């Protein structure tokens, strides 16, 4: 629609008597997705005069002079009340990780839903301050699976290019906490997500107890990328390993894997906007951009897991190679962006999946040797516990 046609329509509109459907039709001619009444009100607000009328000419000139319509034309910022902090139970937030009653699950689902709403709106409001998420579309467009034979795999250098003198460090804290600190000091940072291969986001949607992956999804825009990964895995015909047991789920259906056994999901430009579990997921007053999150599913050796088969290779050498392939994929994905200088890694798979932290840590250290010099800082982050200590010690020994 030409500008003069739009102008003629708007000139007949007085705001108190504005037909929203008519205005919506005009705006839909400029942008494919429809706008609701609240979005329209937000859009025209800056152009209202003191008499309540829209300054039509300024408004139309503004639209037609803007190559890409601003984010205000998508949805208004989501108002966050009480900083979005989760309810305290017995004066704390431990219930997010431990409690599993019906009310607990409902509350966790509400927490997850709020994060998804913010990502959908791409903005939230704390008091009078609007904080925007500026990279959601870039994240989704750049989300990809990386595994041997996938597009781009062979173009990623195998190993380091001796850009830096790589430091292997150990810090106490969750992966996301440490990654945010790295990014805030100016480092281009990649964080590794210890993911579930068969249940994208873990219990993020269902209200399950929060471990690292669920927390990462609550705190950031990551889940939308994981959800896209489900479709990518289906298109790539990703299958569970042939040796999984039980061979089928309890309902008789085949296991559906969302992550390749020898690969990862790369989610670029993930934005972090909520604090961690210990802070009740309080909303931050600024967004921190990570260069990427790399999601890898470590083998499962725990027969009691309901949503995952035992998919660790049954032979010791096969299991060792399985671990090595996974860490190789992690490091190649992290290295594919030449700007990245910092990598933050958890003691992945050393909790409920029952992997030996000595074996997994040694495998990571071996893989990192081939990338020596590619990253300035590689940080093993864990919030405490013997498994994290053993993982870090094994990684340091193998890397040295």
């Amino acid at each position: 629609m030409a500008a003069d046609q739009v102008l003629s329509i708007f000139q007949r509109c007085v705001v108190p008597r504005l037909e929203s459907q008519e205005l919506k039709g005009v705006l839909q001619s400029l942008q494919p997705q429809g706008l609701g009444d609240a979005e329209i009100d937000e859009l025209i607000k800056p152009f209202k005069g003191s008499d309540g009328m829209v300054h039509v000419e300024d408004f139309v000139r503004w639209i037609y002079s803007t190559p890409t319509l601003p984010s205000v034309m998508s949805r208004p910022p989501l108002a966050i009340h009480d900083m979005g902090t989760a309810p305290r139970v017995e004066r704390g937030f431990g219930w997010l990780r431990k409690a599993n009653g019906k009310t607990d699950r409902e509350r966790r689902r509400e927490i997850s839903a709020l994060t998804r709403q913010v990502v959908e709106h791409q903005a939230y409001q704390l008091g009078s301050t609007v904080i925007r998420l500026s990279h959601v579309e870039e994240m989704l467009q750049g989300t990809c699976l990386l595994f041997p034979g996938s597009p781009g795999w062979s173009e990623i250098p195998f190993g380091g290019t001796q850009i830096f003198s790589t430091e292997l460090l150990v810090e106490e804290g969750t992966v996301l906490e440490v990654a945010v600190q790295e990014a805030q000091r100016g480092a281009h940072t990649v964080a590794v997500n210890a993911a579930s291969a068969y249940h994208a986001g873990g219990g993020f949607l269902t209200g399950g107890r929060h471990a690292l992956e669920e927390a990462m999804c609550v705190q950031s825009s990551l889940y939308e990328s994981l959800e896209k990964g489900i479709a990518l895995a289906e298109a790539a015909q990703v299958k569970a390993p042939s040796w999984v047991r039980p061979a089928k789920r309890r309902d008789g259906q085949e296991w559906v894997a969302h992550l390749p056994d020898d690969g990862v999901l790369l989610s670029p430009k993930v934005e972090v906007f909520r604090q961690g579990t210990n802070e009740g997921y309080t909303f931050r007053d600024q967004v921190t951009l990570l260069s990427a999150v790399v999601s890898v599913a470590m083998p499962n050796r725990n027969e009691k897991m309901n949503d995952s088969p035992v998919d660790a290779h049954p032979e010791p050498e096969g299991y060792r190679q399985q671990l090595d392939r996974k860490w190789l994929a992690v490091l190649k994905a992290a290295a594919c962006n030449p700007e990245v200088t910092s990598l933050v890694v958890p003691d992945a798979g050393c909790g409920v999946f029952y992997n030996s932290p000595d074996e997994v840590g040694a495998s990571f250290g071996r893989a990192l040797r081939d990338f020596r010099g590619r990253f300035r800082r590689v940080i093993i982050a864990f919030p405490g516990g013997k498994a994290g200590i053993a993982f870090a010690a094994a990684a340091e020994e193998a890397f040295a």
Side-chain angles (χ1 to χ4, degrees):
M1 185 180 293
D4 57 348
Q5 292 176 288
V6 177
L7 189 59
S8 68
I9 293 174
F10 274 87
Q11 284 173 333
R12 298 197 299 269
C13 297
V14 178
V15 172
R17 298 190 298 276
L18 186 64
E19 288 289 339
S20 63
Q21 292 303 317
E22 182 182 21
L23 179 54
K24 190 181 299 183
V26 175
L27 295 179
Q28 284 174 333
S29 71
L30 305 173
Q31 176 177 294
Q33 63 264 38
L35 298 174
D37 293 346
E39 288 89 344
I40 292 171
D41 289 341
E42 184 73 18
L43 181 64
I44 66 177
K45 187 187 302 182
F47 300 93
K48 283 185 181 181
S50 57
D51 57 359
M53 295 183 66
V54 174
H55 290 243
V56 180
E57 186 172 354
D58 290 345
F59 179 65
V60 174
R61 289 183 188 278
W62 169 71
I63 289 178
Y64 275 85
S65 66
T66 307
T68 302
L69 295 181
S71 59
V72 71
M73 288 198 70
S74 55
R75 306 202 70 168
L78 191 71
I80 303 299
H81 304 289
D82 300 323
M83 300 296 289
T85 306
R88 291 180 181 270
V89 176
E90 296 180 357
R91 300 183 181 180
F93 302 110
W95 68 273
L96 291 164
R97 291 188 298 268
K98 300 174 182 178
N100 204 32
K102 180 179 179 181
T103 300
D104 305 310
R105 297 180 71 88
E106 287 176 353
R107 285 174 172 171
R108 284 191 291 260
R109 284 195 292 269
E110 291 171 0
I111 291 167
S112 298
L114 183 58
T115 287
R116 298 200 74 188
Q117 289 170 357
V118 166
V119 176
E120 181 184 0
H121 285 245
Q122 298 184 30
Y124 58 97
Q125 187 165 346
L126 299 176
S128 60
T129 303
V130 174
I131 299 101
R132 299 199 178 276
L133 278 61
S134 304
H135 301 278
V136 174
E137 297 303 325
E138 287 179 88
M139 176 190 71
L140 293 174
Q141 290 171 9
T143 296
C144 63
L145 288 171
L146 285 175
F147 56 93
S150 66
W153 175 267
S154 60
E155 282 74 39
I156 305 171
F158 178 84
T161 54
Q162 298 300 318
I163 304 171
F164 307 109
S165 176
T166 300
E167 290 184 277
L168 180 57
L169 308 168
V170 180
E171 292 191 17
E172 186 172 329
T174 66
V175 168
L176 212 55
E177 288 170 352
V178 174
V180 165
Q181 291 169 8
E182 282 289 291
Q184 288 179 344
R185 70 174 187 82
H188 293 274
T189 304
V190 171
V192 175
N193 169 32
S196 167
Y198 306 91
H199 196 187
F204 173 73
L205 288 185
T206 59
R209 288 172 285 197
H210 284 187
L212 287 177
E213 184 174 27
E214 290 85 357
M216 289 181 81
C217 290
V218 169
Q219 292 176 249
S220 72
S221 56
L222 175 63
Y223 182 76
E224 307 309 315
S225 179
L226 297 181
E227 193 170 61
K228 181 177 178 180
I230 297 174
L232 293 176
E234 183 177 358
Q237 298 184 332
V238 171
K239 304 292 184 184
S242 59
W243 54 80
V244 300
R245 55 183 177 85
K248 294 186 178 181
R249 301 185 320 196
R250 291 181 179 180
D251 60 5
Q253 298 296 312
E254 300 288 340
W255 290 103
V256 178
H258 306 308
L259 291 171
D261 185 58
D262 55 357
V264 296
L265 183 74
L266 175 63
S267 305
K269 295 186 180 297
V270 171
E271 293 168 284
V272 183
F273 52 90
R274 299 183 80 165
Q275 301 280 3
T277 311
N278 291 339
E279 294 75 39
Y281 299 128
T282 297
F283 275 75
R284 298 171 179 266
D285 58 9
Q286 64 178 4
V287 174
T288 300
L289 177 66
L290 300 181
S291 294
V293 170
V294 176
S295 296
V296 62
M298 284 294 150
N300 175 37
R301 302 176 107 176
N302 183 355
E303 296 179 350
K304 297 180 181 179
M305 295 293 293
N306 293 323
D307 61 354
S308 175
V310 173
D311 59 1
H313 198 284
E315 300 297 331
E317 182 57 28
Y319 174 67
R320 174 188 166 104
Q321 292 176 7
Q322 184 183 26
L323 292 175
D324 290 351
R325 287 193 298 268
K326 288 178 181 293
W327 284 122
L328 170 62
V330 167
L331 291 166
K332 288 195 75 163
C336 68
N337 180 348
E339 294 184 341
V340 169
T341 57
S342 293
L343 174 65
V344 185
V345 177
D347 52 339
C350 300
V352 296
F353 281 0
Y354 289 1
N355 290 286
S356 162
D358 297 306
E359 292 180 273
V360 182
S363 176
F364 173 65
R366 289 193 303 270
L368 187 60
R369 282 203 306 255
D370 291 330
F371 289 79
R372 190 187 300 274
R374 171 56 189 84
F375 307 101
R376 177 178 281 122
R377 287 159 59 90
V378 177
I379 304 170
I380 297 171
F382 60 94
K386 294 180 179 179
I389 294 171
F391 175 96
E396 289 176 318
E397 181 177 356
F399 181 63

